[in-house]
Amino acid sequence: MTWNWKILDAGNFRLDGGSMFGVVPKALWSKFVEPDSKNRIPQACNCVLLEKDGKRVLIECGYGAGWTDHEVDMYAMNGKTIIDALKENEVDPSSIDTV
């Protein structure tokens, strides 16, 4: 039996490019990803929903909704959560068997 799978978009955010690339100079990494005015680069919470024989498995669940306004601004979060992504795909969150 094979699993059916779907990629879910559970939100976007930004992190400091220098932290993400470590010792790699900005002159090199910025050729591949353009930082914003605060030197942050885009990141995504891509989650995987697996389904087989009536069972649902969720791999990764995003960053959640428990952030302060300051943190949301600092990380440039778009406010989307895994609950939003599940609802967009007509999946009841309570139907998930395993995370």
Side-chain angles (χ1 to χ4, degrees), residues 30-95:
S30 63
K31 293 178 183 178
F32 299 99
V33 60
E34 184 176 344
D36 66 9
S37 63
K38 295 181 180 178
N39 204 46
R40 301 173 300 186
I41 60 172
Q43 304 290 304
C45 294
N46 293 318
C47 308
V48 179
L49 177 64
L50 300 172
E51 296 179 286
K52 180 174 104 172
D53 299 332
K55 298 287 184 187
R56 287 183 165 151
V57 176
L58 182 62
I59 300 175
E60 184 53 61
C61 54
Y63 52 69
W67 298 86
T68 67
D69 290 342
H70 173 73
E71 292 167 327
V72 168
D73 179 59
M74 181 171 51
Y75 297 114
M77 297 175 174
N78 71 347
K80 190 172 179 183
T81 68
I82 190 62
I83 301 300
D84 300 322
L86 290 169
K87 288 181 180 177
E88 286 174 5
N89 288 275
E90 300 177 358
V91 175
D92 181 358
S94 66
S95 71

